[in-house]
């Protein structure tokens, strides 16, 4: 294609502008949107966790059976549309450290690996 005609120059210019716009959206807008969506999801999960924590704590303090705790974890996961893992923690000098999984809303227990 020769760029000596006005038509060919306009086609090349429009193609270049379109490619630049797509590159701008891909390199600038998409990462910011992804970051914003991730932050919003984390805020939502934190809010839901704070709302549901008293129910789980009450079940553990009242001596609920393992089956009842697992059922409560599954219903909490369904109502919050997220994976719920109930962890036992140990207090250590550096802060609380996860010890083991009490209950998990998913069948596989891959929530935490012992170190």
């Amino acid at each position: 294609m020769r760029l000596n005609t006005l038509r060919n120059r306009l086609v090349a210019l429009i193609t270049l502008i379109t490619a630049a716009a797509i590159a701008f959206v891909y390199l600038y807008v998409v990462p910011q949107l992804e970051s914003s969506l991730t932050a919003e999801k984390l805020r939502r999960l934190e809010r839901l966790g704070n709302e549901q924590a008293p129910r789980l704590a009450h079940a553990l303090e009242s001596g609920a059976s393992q089956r009842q705790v697992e059922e409560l974890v599954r219903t909490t996961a369904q109502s919050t549309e997220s994976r719920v893992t109930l962890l036992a923690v140990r207090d250590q000098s550096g802060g609380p450290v996860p010890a083991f999984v009490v209950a998990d809303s998913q069948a596989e227990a891959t929530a935490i690996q012992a170190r």
Side-chain angles (χ1 to χ4, degrees):
M1 177 168 91
R2 296 184 341 190
L3 294 178
N4 59 357
T5 66
L6 181 59
R7 178 176 177 256
N8 289 343
R9 287 181 186 172
L10 285 175
V11 168
L13 182 63
I14 291 171
T15 303
L16 182 65
I17 290 171
T18 303
I22 290 171
F24 173 77
V25 167
Y26 184 73
L27 296 174
Y28 184 74
V29 175
V30 171
Q32 285 187 348
L33 181 60
E34 182 180 13
S35 175
S36 175
L37 290 172
T38 301
E40 178 60 32
K41 183 172 184 172
L42 289 174
R43 281 192 296 274
R44 178 183 165 271
L45 286 173
E46 182 179 11
R47 180 180 51 81
L48 290 171
N50 289 333
E51 291 173 2
Q52 298 298 322
R55 289 177 54 208
L56 295 167
H58 177 69
L60 292 173
E61 291 168 357
S62 67
S65 69
Q66 178 69 27
R67 187 176 197 160
Q68 290 171 323
V69 171
E70 289 172 355
E71 182 59 32
L72 182 58
V73 166
R74 275 193 297 279
T75 58
T76 301
Q78 288 175 349
S79 67
T80 61
E81 297 176 354
S82 60
R83 181 176 183 175
V84 176
T85 304
L86 189 59
L87 298 174
V89 295
R90 290 189 195 127
D91 285 329
Q92 292 188 349
S93 60
V97 176
F100 59 91
V101 175
V102 175
D104 194 336
S105 62
Q106 292 186 352
E108 70 274 358
T110 59
I112 185 168
Q113 301 289 331
R115 292 185 213 156

